[in-house]
Amino acid sequence: MSDDPPVFFSSGDDPEMFEASKKARQTFKFFWRELAWERRRIIPGLELAAVKASLSDPAEVRAANPGGLEVEHMWLMDIDFDGRHVEGTLINKPHSLKTYHEGQQVKIAGKQVGDWMYVCTGEVCGGFTVDLMRSRMSASERKQHDAAWGHDFGDAGVVPLVPTSHLGDEAPKKKGLFSKFKKVPQKPQDYKKVAAAEHPMSVNMRESFEQALQENPEMLEQADDAHGFTFLHQLALAGSLDGVDVCLKHGADTKKKANNGMTAFDLAKCLAWKRVMARLQAA
């Protein structure tokens, strides 16, 4: 992304922007799932992972800054999520807010998530508000916008949730002598199909994970320092049905609470991982 990304202004009562942010919050689970698995990759797969936060100054600061914006929507990177709050590093310079600065660690509630996106093997996933803004641009403006980010956002009106490969599909290939001059329309994803599909890493790692627990059963009780998450907590929050199933088959404690007081079921529920919730209830 460029050091000085362009600033876009939007009316606070823009119904289309409101709906775009709502869709982003409803699908945030897919962002977190990808980021959770990224942490287990030996070779990084994500080129970018960011969340757009809705930020505002305290009332007393706004009162002393009457000409400032009431709300600014800025991007966070180095994202963490504990089931209640999203935390990350602010990568934008505020336009008029006084209590935030670039490079600051920011913690927000889920309702303050305005968008999310990640880039995996060159494919941009998410970016609902970005897509809306691009749909309102001319072709040349979209090209300039994408250049500022350093990524091709694809066709306006199409917002993938996961990389094409996650669904067992292949990206459309251009054929013929003049194929490089022809633009292949981007195919919208079936969101129901996305929701029904297990993450490829969850499936592929099941056997090795089960073997690891057989050899080292004490791993089930170990919790991380940051959140007090056991494997069951982590996998429930990431929506991994295979991982949760393996943990339960080896006797994982479903009642154990993380540092924030949430059980594995609570963590699955906060992102509406329904299949994981059902498996935990059946344990």
Side-chain angles (χ1 to χ4, degrees):
M1 186 176 175
S2 133
D3 291 335
D4 296 299
V7 176
F8 298 93
F9 294 93
S10 175
S11 169
D13 60 355
D14 184 334
E16 289 185 314
M17 191 62 71
F18 176 84
E19 284 301 315
S21 291
K22 182 179 178 181
K23 288 179 182 177
R25 286 188 291 275
Q26 290 172 337
T27 57
F28 174 79
K29 60 197 289 183
F30 299 106
F31 170 85
W32 179 250
R33 181 178 71 171
E34 194 60 46
L35 200 57
W37 285 111
E38 174 71 2
R39 296 178 176 186
R40 300 183 185 279
R41 291 186 174 113
I42 297 175
I43 301 176
L46 299 186
E47 301 162 45
L48 171 74
V51 168
K52 183 187 283 187
S54 300
L55 303 174
S56 58
D57 285 326
E60 61 274 15
V61 176
R62 292 202 303 270
N65 184 30
L69 297 173
E70 184 174 344
V71 178
E72 289 193 44
H73 307 279
M74 294 179 285
W75 291 96
L76 308 177
M77 292 183 68
D78 304 321
I79 303 298
D80 196 12
F81 176 58
D82 68 354
R84 297 190 190 280
H85 296 93
V86 175
E87 189 170 357
T89 304
L90 188 62
I91 63 170
N92 300 122
K93 295 178 182 178
H95 182 74
S96 63
L97 296 187
K98 302 299 182 182
T99 52
Y100 294 93
H101 59 82
E102 184 180 9
Q104 181 178 347
Q105 280 293 113
V106 176
K107 179 183 287 188
I108 62 172
K111 65 181 180 181
Q112 290 176 267
V113 171
D115 206 350
W116 60 266
M117 67 178 182
Y118 66 86
V119 181
C120 185
T121 60
E123 290 186 66
V124 178
C125 298
F128 290 88
T129 63
V130 175
D131 177 68
L132 176 60
M133 289 189 293
R134 290 179 76 251
S135 73
R136 296 172 174 177
M137 298 176 184
S138 65
S140 60
E141 288 172 333
R142 282 197 289 272
K143 186 175 181 180
Q144 182 180 7
H145 170 276
D146 291 6
W149 276 95
H151 298 288
D152 181 358
F153 283 76
D155 294 344
V158 180
V159 183
L161 300 181
V162 298
T164 307
S165 60
H166 281 25
L167 300 176
D169 299 330
E170 291 187 5
K173 297 180 180 179
K174 300 176 183 179
K175 299 179 180 180
L177 179 62
F178 299 101
S179 61
K180 66 179 180 179
F181 301 109
K182 298 178 181 178
K183 181 173 176 58
V184 179
Q186 194 175 359
K187 184 179 179 181
Q189 287 183 342
D190 181 341
Y191 284 6
K192 289 184 178 180
K193 182 178 180 180
V194 173
E198 187 83 347
H199 192 283
M201 288 184 66
S202 178
V203 176
N204 296 337
M205 293 184 67
R206 178 180 179 122
E207 185 176 344
S208 60
F209 182 43
E210 189 151 26
Q211 182 177 348
L213 290 182
Q214 288 173 346
E215 297 173 356
N216 303 282
E218 70 278 3
M219 289 171 56
L220 273 181
E221 300 301 320
Q222 295 172 356
D224 66 27
D225 295 330
H227 304 302
F229 280 175
T230 62
F231 273 114
L232 184 62
H233 290 130
Q234 294 172 18
L235 294 166
L237 188 58
S240 172
L241 179 60
D242 277 295
V244 167
D245 186 58
V246 170
C247 286
L248 295 177
K249 287 183 176 180
H250 285 265
D253 182 3
T254 60
K255 295 181 180 179
K256 187 177 181 64
K257 295 182 179 181
N259 292 346
N260 61 6
M262 299 179 78
T263 64
F265 180 83
D266 296 330
L267 292 165
K269 184 178 180 180
C270 81
L271 292 182
W273 294 117
K274 294 182 179 179
R275 295 191 302 160
V276 174
M277 291 165 61
R279 178 64 183 92
L280 286 164
Q281 285 181 314

